[in-house]
Amino acid sequence: MSRTVGARTADPCPRCFLEAARPGKPMTVEGRDVVGYVCDHCANAWTRPVEGDVEVYDTVRVDLADATLYGTVWQVEAGRVQVRSTGGERLLWVERWRVIVY
C-alpha cells in the first residue's frame, strides 16, 4: 500500500521505483484534467487522470501537501470532495484532483 514519505507523493516513480516524486500539480493535457508528477531522482515526468467518478462511501487516498490521508468520501461537489479519515477523527474538504479512488 502507498505511504507518505515526508513532502513526497505516496507512490514511487514508475521508472526508477524510488519514492522521490514531488506532490502532483493539476494541469490540462490534450483537453483532459490530469495531475502531473516529477521524480526528484531520475527527472521522469508522468500524469494520472483526475478521478471523475468519485461517489459517496468510496474508499480514497488524498494526497495533501504535507501528508497522505486515507478515508471515506462523505460528500461530493463539482470541484471538491469531503473525506472522513479512516479513524474518523478528521473530516475535511479537498480539491477533487487530490483524490485517488481505491
Side-chain angles (χ1 to χ4, degrees):
M1 178 169 276
S2 300
R3 62 188 176 86
T4 300
V5 182
R8 304 286 195 252
T9 183
D11 289 325
C13 170
R15 179 187 288 163
C16 70
F17 302 108
L18 292 177
E19 291 177 339
R22 290 182 225 138
K25 295 184 184 199
M27 59 181 66
T28 301
V29 176
E30 297 178 5
R32 294 188 64 198
D33 291 331
V34 297
V35 180
Y37 298 92
V38 177
C39 178
D40 284 341
H41 178 74
C42 71
N44 180 40
W46 70 97
T47 63
R48 68 163 176 84
V50 173
E51 300 282 355
D53 59 350
V54 179
E55 296 180 9
V56 174
Y57 303 124
D58 279 348
T59 300
V60 297
R61 180 182 94 204
V62 180
D63 289 335
L64 302 172
D66 59 344
T68 300
L69 173 72
Y70 296 89
T72 305
V73 174
W74 221 243
Q75 293 184 57
V76 178
E77 291 183 358
R80 64 186 192 153
V81 176
Q82 188 179 45
V83 177
R84 180 176 296 276
S85 66
T86 304
E89 70 278 353
R90 194 168 179 191
L91 183 65
L92 74 150
W93 285 98
V94 296
E95 297 95 344
R96 183 183 288 265
W97 67 267
R98 295 185 179 276
V99 175
I100 299 169
V101 177
Y102 267 69

